[in-house]
Every structure is written in C-alpha cells, then in structure tokens.
Amino acid sequence: MDSVRVRFAPSPTGSLHVGGARTALYNWLFARRHSGTFILRIEDTDVERSRKELTSQILEAMTWLGLSWDEGPYFQSERYAHYQEAANRLIDEGKAYRAFETPEELEAEKKRAEAEGKAFRYSGACRALSREESDRRAAAGEKFVIRLLMPEETIVVNDVVQGRAEFSPDVLDDFVLVRSDGHPLYHFSVCVDDAAMGITHVIRGVDHLPNTPKHVALFRALGVKPPVFAHLGMILGTDGKKLSKRHGAAGVEEFREMGFLPQALVNFLALLGWSPGEDRERMTTEEMISLFSLERIGPSPSRFDHEKLAWMNGQSLQETPEPELLALLKAPELSALPEETLHAAIGLHRPRTKTLVELRKALSIYLEDPAEFDPAGMKKFARREDAAHLRTLAARLSSIEPFTHTGMEEAARALAEETGLKLGALAQPARLALTGSLASPPLFEMIEVLGKETALRRMLSFAGRIEANPHPH
Ligand code: GLU
C-alpha cells in the first residue's frame, strides 16, 4: 500500500458530535495502524454557518480524545486561490465550462421538469459554447457559474464498507463547481483538497455516499486516481432512530463534562461499526491500533447505548492509577484531606461510581458537613423518634475503640436487638445526617473513613436540627 494519507474534515457549524468523533477516530486509527498521516482540514467555506469558536471547540475535543493530527489544521477559507486555479485549469482542459444561464432561466427549466414529473437535470446547453465565445462573454462581464462536464457513463463506487454501488449517468448532471460570485461549492473544494493533499483513503459517514460519484468524476477530471472510499454506517439511538438529543448526550464536550474518560469514550466509539474479532470489547489504544482494519467495519447502522458507555467508563475509572485519577478529578480542595483518608475514601467510593462527576460528588462528603438534605429523606427520617435513634446510635458508637466498621456494625446490630428496632431505622437517619442523602455506600465503612469526631458531630447536630423542627407523622 502507498503510504496512507487520511483526513478528518469537519465543518465548524456545530461542536464535535459523537458521529464526527467516530469518523475522526477511524481515520486516526487507520493512519496509526499503517504509520500514515492524519490530516485535519476545517471545511469552513460556508461563511454564514461556520464559527471560529466552534473550530477551537472541535480541536479541543479532538485533543482531549487523544486524536493527534500530523498535518493541519488547514482551513478551506484560506485556500480559495487553489480552487480558482483548479477551476481555470479544468476549463482550459475542456473538462469544465462556463454556464451563463440566469437564475430565472434555470428556475423555468426546473418548473418544466417538475411539470413533466421528472427530476431536474441541467440541460448542458452551454457545453456547446466555443471557448472564444465563452471568454468573450465572461470578459464582457456576463455572470456565469462553472460546471463540470460529466462523462456519459455509469460510475461505479467500490466502497470498502458499503460494497459496490453503481450510479447511472441519468442521475448525474453537469453540477456546479463554482458559483457566479466565485465561491467554490462543497464537492469541488473537497476534491481539490483531497487531490492536493494526496488523500489515499476517504473514511466518512454514509450520508456522503450519494456524493461519491460526483467526487469520482471530479478526481478523474483533476487527473488523480480516486481514493479508496469507506463509508461508515449511521449511528442510531437504542430505539433504532437516528441518534439525537432525545437520546441523551451526543456531543464530545458533554461527555467530558459529565465525567467520562477519553479512553472509555474512544474505546466505545471504536466499536460503533468496527469489530476487532474474538468478542473483544475493552482495549487499550495500542490494541485498537494494532487490530484496526477497514475490512472489519460492518455496513449496518450501529446503536449508541449510553448504558454500555457508562459501564465501560466505570471499568476505565477503576483501572486509573490513583495519582492520575486525582489529577483528572480536578478537585484541588481534596488535598485538604489527610492522605490516608483520601485513599480510603477513593477505595470505598470508586467501585460504586461510573463517572468522575459521581466520584467527585461522593468524595465531597469528606470535606464539608452536608448543607442540604434530600427532601424525600427528610420526610421519612426526620421525625422526633429518628432524632432519638440518632442519639442512641451516636452514644453507642462513641465508645467503640478501635473505631472500625466491623466494630460499629456489631455494636449497631446489638443495639437493634436490644431495642427491637430494625437496623434501617438506626442507619437511615444516620445516612441522612452524614451525607445529606439516603444513597451512600456501606454506612459503617463510610463512618470509619469520616472519623469518629466528624461522624458524631454530624449525627448530633442533625438530631438537634430535627428536635427543633421535627417532620410531622
Ligand atoms: N465537511 C464534511 C462534513 O462535515 C465532510 C466532507 C468529507 O468528509 O468528505 O460532513
């Protein structure tokens, strides 16, 4: 194989969506697998919809995912001279021509086709103009577009992923390359750039498959061998509909903010269409690179399962070395905790969390007394007798030495037996007192990490709070 050159070519009209991220990832994996070059090209010729800050966001999201590019970013908005030069060359070679129909004339042609129940195809009338006449009219200031002279032949696309597709000449007309204001159109700038950048493989979403015959014709006109095409299947939600906001987060930034780890997201995205074989799921980046091949990408749509992603993220979270984890948590306030406490707290909570955000929240209870209490919990466990139970439990715990969770558990069981209370009646108000919520990991393990003093202080102060304003029965 020639040395591989691939590109990711986002249009900065939105932030990086998981679909785009998967396209970028597949290009990146393919480049790395073949020691090739991964090029980043920003397709910002749509001046109305492209925004600078979205470009920075896309670059940032790619950097966060670890998808480093070797060339670029190139900006199409800075490459107009190339498109102009290519258009002139095609005209000189007789592969493209100026078309002088006015918008009104084209509109009338369209209407006529509609009335006859046919799809509109440009008639090709201006093909007949001589070069001299074309030059003369252009020089006289007449407005024109530049159209590709489409060969009258079936175009076959042998897509590595989607298979063979044939496009008959009657669906393809002499499409516009350059508008009358000199603005290059999408198909043209893409192909001029792919040709200029020596792109060997075009890996992109299946929504671009219908554009591909035009691109093939353009590559031929430009005098280059068309690249290998690999069109990736759609990404759907678990309900089988096109993935959208309705299904939950869909932007890379959103997942980052929700506390996902880049390696988990990358691993998950890699499996949306590609199967590495042997039922492999969790892989390191190195493993993905060494196993990746276009031949193992399936043509069907794949489903974006948020639950599976959360599971994968939870797995990655467990494997992250503690110092790295602390850096990722971005919670400098945690350094106020004694090292041992922090270590024990991570040991207790990490296995029960799936994201950095969840873990950060769980660890926050070791820093400060809860400021808010879950209203549903208050309704159930902030009655006068709960205050009494809290005081009884606190008194019993105060005498435990050494202050271990097994010791506490034994004492609490004995207390439940003596008083005829259920263990939950003792434990639930304590959970609320200590964390502000009823969801917490094993209570006594948490109390052990919190330490006797903090735990008893929170329990007694919460008891006082209930006594001052008990929830009615
Ligand atoms: N700029 C196009 C897009 O964002 C990609 C074009 C291509 O990959 O050929 O959909």
Side-chain angles (χ1 to χ4, degrees):
M1 194 177 326
D2 289 344
S3 133
V4 162
R5 290 178 61 84
V6 289
R7 70 344 184 243
F8 176 52
S11 306
T13 53
S15 53
L16 188 61
H17 187 265
V18 289
R22 183 203 43 183
T23 299
L25 172 64
Y26 281 25
N27 277 286
W28 183 84
L29 285 171
F30 189 67
R32 293 295 170 263
R33 170 75 184 85
H34 296 284
S35 309
T37 305
F38 176 56
I39 296 164
L40 181 58
R41 184 170 80 216
I42 306 296
E43 306 212 316
D44 57 350
T45 52
D46 182 342
V47 257
E48 267 131 56
R49 292 172 58 229
S50 299
R51 302 215 325 257
K52 266 247 150 10
E53 63 275 19
L54 289 170
T55 297
S56 340
Q57 256 187 47
I58 292 170
L59 301 196
E60 219 169 277
M62 286 183 63
T63 305
W64 180 70
L65 289 170
L67 306 180
S68 49
W69 52 94
D70 310 305
E71 275 183 31
Y74 296 112
F75 291 86
Q76 287 195 322
S77 60
E78 293 168 5
R79 298 175 53 80
Y80 284 103
H82 292 268
Y83 312 134
Q84 195 56 56
E85 190 268 327
N88 291 340
R89 189 156 47 84
L90 290 183
I91 292 179
D92 285 345
E93 291 172 0
K95 293 170 179 162
Y97 60 91
R98 300 191 189 95
F100 294 90
E101 285 83 1
T102 63
E104 293 73 30
E105 284 167 336
L106 288 174
E107 198 46 48
E109 267 192 52
K110 256 181 216 165
K111 288 248 162 70
R112 224 169 305 138
E114 226 167 77
E116 290 169 25
K118 288 194 207 142
F120 168 72
R121 288 178 74 229
Y122 169 63
S123 67
C126 286
R127 280 185 182 200
L129 294 181
S130 69
R131 181 63 195 267
E132 289 69 34
E133 184 175 359
S134 167
D135 286 350
R136 187 182 48 71
R137 288 172 70 174
E142 211 176 309
K143 279 204 176 306
F144 61 86
V145 298
I146 300 173
R147 290 183 180 270
L148 184 72
L149 199 149
M150 262 316 245
E152 287 290 319
E153 63 190 57
T154 297
I155 293 184
V156 177
V157 176
N158 277 311
D159 191 274
V160 187
V161 175
Q162 301 297 330
R164 184 187 156 96
E166 281 190 16
F167 299 86
S168 97
D170 34 273
V171 298
L172 303 162
D173 68 356
D174 291 351
F175 60 95
V176 176
L177 307 179
V178 181
R179 277 196 325 222
S180 61
D181 60 1
H183 196 90
L185 288 183
Y186 160 72
H187 300 299
F188 188 50
S189 49
V190 163
C191 293
V192 171
D193 281 347
D194 283 346
M197 294 172 189
I199 299 302
T200 56
H201 297 72
V202 166
I203 305 168
R204 61 187 174 191
V206 74
D207 46 325
H208 286 293
L209 186 59
N211 299 331
T212 308
K214 293 185 178 177
H215 296 184
V216 169
L218 257 170
F219 284 120
R220 289 187 187 147
L222 289 165
V224 301
K225 191 169 132 227
V228 172
F229 290 100
H231 284 94
L232 312 175
M234 286 232 287
I235 300 180
L236 309 175
T238 39
D239 59 357
K241 303 224 171 80
K242 191 172 184 276
L243 188 71
S244 76
K245 283 250 61 119
R246 269 184 314 112
H247 298 101
V252 172
E253 283 298 322
E254 276 173 276
F255 285 107
R256 181 185 185 170
E257 272 159 32
M258 284 159 68
F260 283 80
L261 299 171
Q263 64 268 35
L265 188 53
V266 159
N267 190 163
F268 175 79
L269 291 175
L271 297 173
L272 294 180
W274 171 54
S275 54
E278 296 167 15
D279 288 332
R280 265 169 184 272
E281 288 223 298
R282 302 206 53 241
M283 289 168 283
T284 63
T285 305
E286 285 65 37
E287 285 168 324
M288 286 187 254
I289 291 172
S290 70
L291 293 166
F292 192 77
S293 80
L294 298 180
E295 286 69 31
R296 294 200 64 98
I297 300 174
S300 325
S302 31
R303 283 173 197 246
F304 193 101
D305 181 348
H306 282 80
E307 266 173 45
K308 180 170 172 184
L309 170 58
W311 171 79
M312 283 186 134
N313 200 64
Q315 298 294 307
S316 297
L317 200 63
Q318 309 317 310
E319 292 157 8
T320 308
E322 209 167 294
E324 202 180 306
L325 184 68
L326 282 169
L328 287 168
L329 278 171
K330 292 216 173 62
E333 63 278 13
L334 288 174
S335 63
L337 292 173
E339 224 166 280
E340 252 170 79
T341 306
L342 185 54
H343 177 69
I346 289 176
L348 179 58
H349 293 272
R350 166 151 69 171
R352 297 175 168 81
T353 47
K354 292 206 172 86
T355 67
L356 291 169
V357 170
E358 284 172 20
L359 183 56
R360 205 180 296 136
K361 180 153 179 269
L363 296 177
S364 70
I365 63 163
Y366 298 96
L367 290 165
E368 270 177 69
D369 293 355
E372 278 167 28
F373 296 89
D374 166 35
M378 294 297 280
K379 210 164 153 189
K380 276 165 111 175
F381 298 107
R383 298 158 308 180
R384 197 173 295 281
E385 69 260 32
D386 295 310
H389 298 156
L390 267 174
R391 290 196 185 278
T392 318
L393 180 63
R396 194 59 72 97
L397 297 184
S398 71
S399 61
I400 290 175
E401 210 56 62
F403 197 61
T404 61
H405 66 272
T406 43
M408 284 184 255
E409 178 123 23
E410 257 168 54
R413 282 190 195 286
L415 182 61
E417 201 134 304
E418 286 162 35
T419 54
L421 286 168
K422 289 212 175 97
L423 203 53
L426 292 166
Q428 293 296 63
R431 279 210 166 85
L432 206 51
L434 296 166
T435 68
S437 109
L438 292 177
S440 77
L443 178 66
F444 299 112
E445 289 180 48
M446 182 181 69
I447 297 183
E448 185 180 323
V449 180
L450 267 174
K452 192 187 257 185
E453 199 196 310
T454 306
L456 295 184
R457 174 168 44 72
R458 289 188 191 175
M459 288 166 74
L460 296 177
S461 114
F462 191 61
R465 181 187 166 120
I466 298 178
E467 286 152 358
N469 184 17
H471 202 283
H473 276 266

